[in-house]
């Protein structure tokens, strides 16, 4: 079983739980997701299967789209409703939600939630928090491409990889003289893959998995039909007239290796994909 599988991750399961479910279902070890979703979030989880697991380091199209909702009136230890309530405050209604959303569009220097896997000095922020230590402030440079008001303090956000929707909820509340946290989160798009392409685990109990070819996620690389192709299968250096740092070698339209430039005109094998 080789290719790319798009899963609609259910509420309450970790991304690793989904991978384990697939391993047991299809009696195959080689499954790996391309980006974690929190257990309480749902939606698009891109899973690499079989030979496609070798592609992970070469993925570039990792922008995301989410639908989130804010709950006003309290701040929590995790910046979502599942954390410990730290402070409560009556909601200030004197603001325009749509206008506040638009203020986030563009490049942002975002404060990462305390409960996260980001590391400082080799330790995850959530471990500092769990051990009762002062949690270092960590900022991440991200970009938000668009924000859409969906009503009832819900919104759709298109953003770069690494964006925390929990931070958006927390910061929007603070910007409006409020306290707030994330109430729900659904990922609706990862790169080119949308929620409409996703299969649920229930679907997979009765349906065949829909697998997308590996080449779908290698659009950013030039495709080279090199001859003699046996040199590529043997991992030999090859001569190419190409100015890019990396290229994808194909055989009968299928990607078989990623080659990187060693010096002008000479490329060496970086990763075999067969």
């Amino acid at each position: 079983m080789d290719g790319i599988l798009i899963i609609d991750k259910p509420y309450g399961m970790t991304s690793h739980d989904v991978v384990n479910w697939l391993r047991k279902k299809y009696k195959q070890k080689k499954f790996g997701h391309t980006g974690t979703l929190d257990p309480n979030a749902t939606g698009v989880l891109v899973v690499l299967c079989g030979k496609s697991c070798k592609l992970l380091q070469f993925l570039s199209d990792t922008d995301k789209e989410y639908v989130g909702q804010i709950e006003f009136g309290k701040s929590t230890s995790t910046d979502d409703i599942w954390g410990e309530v730290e402070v409560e405050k009556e909601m200030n209604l004197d603001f325009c939600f749509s206008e506040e959303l638009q203020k986030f569009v563009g490049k942002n220097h975002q404060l990462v939630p305390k409960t996260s896997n980001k590391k400082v000095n080799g330790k995850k922020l959530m471990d500092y928090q769990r051990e009762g230590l002062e949690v270092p402030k960590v900022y991440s440079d991200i970009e938000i491409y668009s924000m859409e008001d969906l009503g009832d303090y819900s919104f759709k956000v298109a953003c770069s990889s690494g964006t925390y929707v929990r931070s958006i909820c927390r910061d929007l509340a603070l910007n409006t003289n409020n306290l707030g946290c994330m109430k729900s989160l659904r990922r609706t798009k990862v790169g080119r893959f949308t929620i409409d392409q996703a299969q649920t685990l229930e679907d997979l109990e009765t349906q065949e998995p829909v697998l997308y070819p590996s080449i779908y996620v290698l659009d950013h690389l030039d495709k080279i039909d090199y001859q003699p192709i046996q040199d590529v299968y043997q991992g030999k250096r090859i001569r190419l007239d190409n100015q890019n740092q990396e290229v994808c070698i194909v055989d009968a339209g299928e990607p078989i290796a990623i080659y990187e430039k060693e010096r002008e005109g000479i490329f060496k094998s970086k990763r075999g994909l067969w």
Side-chain angles (χ1 to χ4, degrees):
M1 184 173 173
D2 303 304
I4 302 165
L5 182 62
I6 312 304
I7 298 293
D8 183 351
K9 190 191 83 65
Y11 179 90
M13 288 183 75
T14 68
S15 301
H16 190 63
D17 288 339
V18 172
V19 168
N20 281 339
W21 188 94
L22 292 169
R23 286 171 177 163
K24 292 177 182 177
K25 169 70 176 175
Y26 297 106
K27 297 178 174 59
Q28 173 178 307
K29 289 184 178 181
K30 289 188 177 181
F31 289 99
H33 63 79
T34 67
T36 301
L37 263 180
D38 290 341
N40 295 322
T42 66
V44 175
L45 185 70
V46 178
V47 179
L48 305 179
C49 314
K51 296 176 184 177
S52 293
C53 290
K54 299 176 181 179
L55 296 173
L56 184 58
Q57 64 180 300
F58 304 110
L59 302 186
S60 68
D61 188 10
T62 54
D63 288 341
K64 311 290 197 306
E65 183 181 272
Y66 297 92
V67 171
Q69 187 176 24
I70 305 177
E71 180 167 312
F72 288 95
K74 63 184 179 184
S75 62
T76 71
S77 58
T78 56
D79 293 324
D80 58 34
I81 62 170
W82 299 282
E84 181 180 341
V85 176
E86 296 179 328
V87 184
E88 293 185 277
K89 177 182 176 182
E90 186 175 346
M91 182 178 174
N92 166 45
L93 298 171
D94 187 21
F95 67 96
C96 176
F97 187 65
S98 294
E99 291 179 3
E100 293 298 327
L101 287 174
Q102 297 313 308
K103 293 178 182 178
F104 285 86
V105 176
K107 294 184 178 180
N108 288 263
H109 195 52
Q110 188 182 64
L111 178 62
V112 174
K114 296 177 183 178
T115 308
S116 74
N117 288 318
K118 285 283 188 180
K119 290 185 177 180
V120 173
N121 298 324
K123 184 193 288 281
K124 295 177 182 179
L125 296 187
M126 65 171 62
D127 290 335
Y128 282 94
Q129 187 182 45
R130 187 180 296 118
E131 294 170 16
L133 302 173
E134 182 178 352
V135 181
K137 287 189 175 183
V138 176
Y139 290 85
S140 182
D141 290 320
I142 56 101
E143 185 169 2
I144 294 176
Y145 308 120
S146 65
M147 295 282 274
E148 180 183 350
D149 183 357
L150 301 179
D152 195 27
Y153 301 125
S154 295
F155 59 93
K156 180 186 290 186
V157 53
C159 55
S160 63
S161 182
T163 301
Y164 286 90
V165 179
R166 285 180 285 153
S167 292
I168 295 174
C169 296
R170 175 201 66 213
D171 293 344
L172 188 147
L174 291 173
N175 291 347
T176 59
N177 193 28
N178 277 296
L179 296 176
C181 58
M182 188 179 74
K183 185 176 183 180
S184 64
L185 182 67
R186 182 161 177 76
R187 190 156 70 188
T188 52
K189 189 175 182 181
V190 176
R192 66 165 60 203
F193 299 111
T194 68
I195 194 66
D196 294 335
Q197 296 169 282
Q199 293 177 283
T200 65
L201 300 186
E202 288 77 12
D203 290 337
L204 294 176
E205 291 285 13
T206 58
Q207 302 173 9
E208 289 298 311
V210 176
L211 293 169
Y212 295 88
S214 297
I215 206 161
Y216 265 47
V217 294
L218 297 174
D219 283 353
H220 57 295
L221 298 177
D222 282 355
K223 310 301 183 298
I224 308 293
D225 192 354
Y226 181 83
Q227 294 297 331
I229 196 65
Q230 198 60 33
D231 287 355
V232 176
Y233 283 109
Q234 292 174 359
K236 294 181 179 179
R237 285 172 170 76
I238 61 177
R239 291 185 176 274
L240 293 175
D241 182 16
N242 193 291
Q243 297 306 308
N244 293 310
Q245 189 60 35
E246 292 182 345
V247 297
C248 177
I249 308 298
V250 297
D251 184 11
E254 290 294 317
I256 61 166
I258 305 297
Y259 266 66
E260 63 179 349
K261 182 178 290 186
E262 186 175 56
R263 60 183 186 274
E264 193 63 33
I266 303 296
F267 284 71
K268 65 178 181 179
S269 180
K270 187 172 184 178
R271 189 71 160 95
L273 303 176
W274 65 88

